[in-house]
């Protein structure tokens, strides 16, 4: 491009009246002035006439188009003649071919003026064509760069979506072509970086830079402020933390380490940790830093209960089962719309898959206690996936019902400590929260039960969030842990999960 600028500059300085017009023309090549329409308008003023640019399809790109001979225009555009000039009806007209970045296409610049074209105006037209060609070429390069960036971003998202449905083989195959070694790992962590929507593209670029492209960096399709990063090593996670400090409105949530097939679970954990990061001075949190209820229950009994609850899904083909479980994990963590965007499917598909799981488990996800219990089972399935089944001495013993799993001393202590924080508020947040959960998170129904205004219920629930250091209105892991705490203390009724009762003695089913 610099060479073409020199051509224009030299031609201009050699003209009879100096280089003023050439300097003006060169200004249109500066980054702040690159606009073909403005160049065409400038040309009309410079030659004291009319100028118009038509592309290869006949579309007018700038200026008012004078009357033209279509056959002559076609001949110039096709390259059969380089330019044409004639005089008629008191005007002088010139047509010049404008080469496009695509060799098979060309436009035509038409310039009309009352006076004949002298050496100066002819030079202006000639070099204006050169500038327009440069701008078109630069525009195509910029557009191609944007298309490449978008294609790369879409490819990263496609890899993530394959991981979300446990299709690690396809994910590795897609990644291998552009990022060799990116997924050459058995396990990874998922981090979610939250900034502002306006700064997200720049934040994602920094994530790629600091991780040396050793991590999968994806613009979250569901939340405009989020960047999802799958990090195979600890070094990449530390580098992500370095981005948080200097940025005042940036937060980081990270998951525990999981196999690549458990990326959906890791993503849910990262979002949960991100909620905690909002309350931390360093603006970062990791999921494992918090005590979670499943860690306080006997693992052998918990696994046996989980296997029994999810057993109806074992009859499905592996791919279908993985698809349903991955969708349900995300559907329980987020809205159907958000889960659909993350998975790259429609929200109706998400709802249909979750309804199928509801039918297999014979439960109702409109019930928050049912959602919390199934969410617990799905988490257990992931965390104990690598533990050999049947290795414990309790295998083959009488199954332990959910009520007994939750009633252990460690669980009760955890639940009491968690909910006791609410007792310090004189507004009786605990009572409001219990009613709100019992009504499926519906503020209007909870308000009727409590005899207060629905806005009061919402304010109480919102006030409970910083006290518990958990997001409640957004749903997901944070809310389900609070629901389990209520179930543990007997503040809520056990959910209907008839699939989990199969094979249990009647004396245990109703405990």
């Amino acid at each position: 491009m610099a060479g073409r600028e020199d051509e224009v500059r030299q031609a201009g300085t050699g003209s009879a009246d100096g280089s003023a017009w050439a300097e003006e023309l060169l200004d249109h090549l500066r980054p702040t002035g690159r606009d073909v329409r403005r160049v065409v308008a400038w040309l009309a003023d410079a030659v004291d006439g009319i100028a118009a640019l038509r592309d290869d399809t006949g579309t007018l790109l700038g200026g008012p188009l004078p009357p033209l001979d279509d056959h002559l225009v076609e001949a110039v555009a096709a390259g059969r003649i380089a330019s044409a000039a004639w005089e008629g009806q008191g005007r002088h007209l010139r047509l010049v071919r404008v080469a496009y970045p695509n060799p098979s296409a060309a436009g035509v610049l038409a310039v009309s003026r009352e006076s004949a074209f002298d050496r100066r105006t002819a030079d202006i037209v000639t070099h204006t064509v050169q500038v327009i060609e440069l701008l078109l070429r630069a525009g195509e390069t910029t557009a191609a760069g944007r298309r490449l960036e978008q294609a790369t971003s879409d490819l990263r998202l496609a890899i993530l979506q394959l991981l979300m449905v446990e299709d690690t083989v396809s994910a590795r195959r897609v990644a291998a072509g552009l990022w060799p070694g990116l997924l050459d790992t058995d396990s990874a962590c998922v981090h979610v970086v939250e900034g502002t929507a306006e700064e997200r593209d720049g934040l994602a670029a920094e994530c790629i830079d600091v991780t040396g492209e050793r991590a999968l960096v994806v613009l979250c399709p569901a939340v405009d402020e989020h960047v999802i990063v799958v990090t195979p090593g600890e070094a990449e996670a530390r580098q992500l933390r370095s981005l948080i400090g200097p940025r005042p409105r940036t937060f980081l949530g990270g998951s525990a380490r999981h196999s690549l097939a458990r990326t959906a679970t890791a993503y849910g954990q990262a979002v949960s940790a991100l909620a905690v990061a909002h309350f931390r001075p360093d603006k970062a949190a990791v999921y494992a830093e918090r005590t979670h209820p499943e860690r306080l229950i006997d693992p052998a009994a918990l696994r046996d209960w989980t296997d029994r609850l999810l057993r109806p899904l074992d009859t499905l083909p592996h791919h279908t089962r993985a698809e349903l479980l991955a969708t349900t994990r995300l559907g329980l963590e987020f809205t159907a719309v958000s889960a659909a965007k993350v998975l790259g499917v429609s929200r109706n598909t998400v709802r249909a898959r979750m309804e199928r799981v509801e039918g297999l488990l014979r439960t109702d996800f409109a019930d928050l206690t049912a959602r919390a219990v199934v969410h617990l089972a799905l988490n257990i399935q992931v965390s104990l996936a690598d533990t050999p089944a049947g290795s414990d001495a309790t295998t083959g013993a009488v199954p332990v019902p959910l009520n007994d799993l939750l009633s252990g001393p460690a669980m009760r202590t955890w639940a009491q400590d968690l909910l006791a924080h609410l007792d310090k508020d004189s507004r009786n947040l605990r009572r409001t929260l219990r009613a709100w959960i019992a009504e499926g998170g519906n503020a209007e129904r909870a308000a009727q039960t409590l005899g207060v205004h629905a806005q009061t219920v919402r304010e109480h629930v919102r006030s409970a969030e910083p006290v518990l250091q958990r997001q409640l209105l957004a749903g997901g892991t944070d809310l389900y842990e609070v629901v389990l705490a209520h179930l543990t203390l007997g503040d809520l009724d056990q959910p209907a999960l008839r699939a989990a009762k199969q094979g249990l003695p009647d004396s245990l089913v109703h405990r």
Side-chain angles (χ1 to χ4, degrees), residues 265-283:
T265 297
Y267 171 60
Q269 291 182 354
V271 173
S272 178
L274 183 64
V276 178
H278 280 262
F279 303 107
R280 294 175 62 97
D282 60 354
K283 301 181 295 179

Side-chain angles (χ1 to χ4, degrees), residues 242-372:
S242 70
L243 297 178
I244 307 305
R247 295 174 176 268
R249 294 178 295 173
T250 307
F251 305 89
L252 176 67
S255 73
R257 179 166 288 276
H258 290 282
S259 67
L260 288 179
R262 308 303 179 188
T263 299
T265 297
Y267 171 60
Q269 291 182 354
V271 173
S272 178
L274 183 64
V276 178
H278 280 262
F279 303 107
R280 294 175 62 97
D282 60 354
K283 301 181 295 179
V286 177
Y287 185 80
E289 292 177 357
R290 200 165 82 190
T291 300
H292 298 280
E294 60 265 28
R295 302 175 184 274
L296 305 174
I297 304 174
D298 174 62
L302 190 57
R303 173 168 189 152
D304 184 65
W305 170 82
T306 298
D307 290 344
R308 290 178 179 275
L309 176 63
L310 301 179
R311 186 169 296 165
L313 279 75
D314 293 343
T315 60
L316 302 172
H318 173 76
H319 177 73
T320 302
R321 182 178 185 275
E323 191 174 66
L324 291 180
L325 289 176
T327 302
T328 302
R329 288 191 189 101
L330 288 176
L332 292 177
E333 283 287 350
F334 312 103
T335 65
V337 173
S338 295
K341 289 179 178 178
V342 172
L343 291 171
V345 298
S346 72
R347 59 184 177 182
N348 289 335
T349 298
V350 171
R351 293 191 178 109
R353 291 175 183 175
M354 293 187 68
E355 287 173 1
R356 187 174 181 184
V357 173
E358 281 181 300
L360 289 168
L361 301 184
R362 300 170 66 190
T363 190
D364 182 6
F365 285 155
D367 182 354
L368 277 180
T369 59
R371 292 174 72 93

